[in-house]
């Protein structure tokens, strides 16, 4: 079974750093683009960026460039999303999701269960 | 940045109705568009990719059309399980964006 399993809910204080994870199983992790999506009640779904785990090529939305870092450990089949300094506006649910096509970017067919991040 | 404008934001319908949701891109995105269904407390679920390709396992009452800047998602005969929120999603290798969502309710 193809799965993306995300790390558990986090509660952090403003200014703290945080790294959440997304572990893949059931497919070749290195040859599918993986995206990160933020969801807040006020702004719906927001595209944060994509990463190709095979070579860690990462592309960011201008809205998130410089605020977060995407990375991937191909040996652990795990992707990460990291903040150096959180603020209250980072409070949201964060999803990782896999491209429907091998090697080529497409819609996201497999989603993680979401990680709730609360900054307060 | 490419902006995606989805309409309507809310749609009231009945079981058996034909329902169409529209998504417009601020510039041409060729066919790089997907549609998702999301239910409360759950992750989105892929319905359509490449504007008109039906994801495996998705009922055939869902269909997508369009290219360039205008796209539609149609549910041919609304079923009770279809009451949910729907999002369009533009993707390419340098940018991406979601529409604001359309809530389909009774």
């Amino acid at each position: 079974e193809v799965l993306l399993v995300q790390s558990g809910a986090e509660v952090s204080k403003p200014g703290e750093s945080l790294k959440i994870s997304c572990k893949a199983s059931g497919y070749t992790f290195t040859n599918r683009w993986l995206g990160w999506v933020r969801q807040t009640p006020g702004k719906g779904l927001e595209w944060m960026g994509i990463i190709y785990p095979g070579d860690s090529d990462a592309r960011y939305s201008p809205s998130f460039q410089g605020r977060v870092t995407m990375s991937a450990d191909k040996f652990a089949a795990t992707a990460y999303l990291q903040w150096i300094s959180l603020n209250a506006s980072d409070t949201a649910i964060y999803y990782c999701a896999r491209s429907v096509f091998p090697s080529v970017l497409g819609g996201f067919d497999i989603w993680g269960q979401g990680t709730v991040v609360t900054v307060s | 940045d490419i902006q995606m404008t989805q309409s309507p934001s809310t749609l009231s319908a009945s079981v058996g109705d034909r329902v169409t949701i529209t998504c417009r891109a601020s510039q041409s995105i060729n066919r790089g568009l997907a549609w998702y269904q999301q239910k409360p407390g759950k992750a989105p679920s892929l319905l359509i990719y490449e504007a008109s390709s039906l994801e495996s396992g998705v009922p055939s009452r869902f269909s997508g059309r369009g290219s360039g800047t205008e796209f539609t998602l149609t549910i041919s005969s609304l079923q009770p399980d279809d009451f949910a929120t729907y999002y369009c999603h533009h993707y390419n290798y340098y940018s991406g964006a979601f529409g604001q969502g359309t809530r389909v309710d009774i």
Side-chain angles (χ1 to χ4, degrees):
Chain A
E1 183 185 7
V2 176
L3 287 175
L4 293 173
V5 178
Q6 297 185 232
S7 49
E10 300 277 359
V11 179
S12 299
K13 291 180 167 42
E16 291 184 338
S17 63
L18 179 66
K19 192 173 189 177
I20 62 174
S21 66
C22 169
K23 182 165 177 57
S25 61
Y27 74 97
T28 303
F29 176 66
T30 50
N31 77 350
R32 300 256 188 161
W33 286 90
L34 191 140
W36 287 94
V37 177
R38 184 171 83 173
Q39 185 163 37
T40 58
K43 290 194 172 184
L45 298 173
E46 295 175 90
W47 186 90
M48 301 178 71
I50 51 173
I51 185 167
Y52 191 72
D55 60 7
S56 291
D57 182 5
R59 320 277 174 95
Y60 294 87
S61 162
S63 300
F64 293 94
Q65 178 84 48
R67 288 275 302 129
V68 298
T69 301
M70 295 181 292
S71 61
D73 180 341
K74 56 187 177 183
F75 302 106
T78 301
Y80 301 95
L81 183 66
Q82 182 175 9
W83 293 259
I84 298 299
S85 179
L86 288 160
N87 61 49
S89 64
D90 295 316
T91 295
I93 302 171
Y94 292 87
Y95 292 103
C96 61
R98 181 193 84 158
S99 174
V100 66
F101 299 120
S103 303
V104 175
L105 185 61
F108 295 141
D109 67 336
I110 302 294
W111 291 66
Q113 82 277 20
T115 295
V116 177
V117 173
T118 304
V119 184
S120 176
Chain B
D1 272 11
I2 296 173
Q3 310 297 322
M4 305 302 294
T5 303
Q6 193 174 333
S7 61
S9 55
T10 306
L11 191 159
S12 294
S14 302
V15 173
D17 283 354
R18 182 181 181 88
V19 163
T20 296
I21 299 167
T22 298
C23 193
R24 289 185 174 86
S26 58
Q27 63 189 75
S28 177
I29 58 171
N30 297 315
R31 295 179 63 80
L33 187 101
W35 291 95
Y36 303 89
Q37 178 192 72
Q38 187 179 32
K39 296 185 177 179
K42 300 291 188 183
S45 175
L46 180 65
L47 300 171
I48 301 286
Y49 59 94
E50 292 296 289
S52 61
S53 295
L54 189 69
E55 169 67 348
S56 175
V58 173
S60 59
R61 63 181 179 272
F62 291 92
S63 64
R65 297 189 65 177
S67 65
T69 61
E70 186 151 336
F71 302 85
T72 58
L73 172 72
T74 297
I75 309 171
S76 61
S77 178
L78 201 64
Q79 298 302 300
D81 191 48
D82 300 339
F83 291 96
T85 300
Y86 294 84
Y87 293 92
C88 63
H89 165 215
H90 135 65
Y91 53 84
N92 68 32
Y93 290 98
Y94 298 97
S95 70
F98 288 89
Q100 304 93 318
T102 296
R103 193 177 81 239
V104 176
D105 56 22
I106 300 173

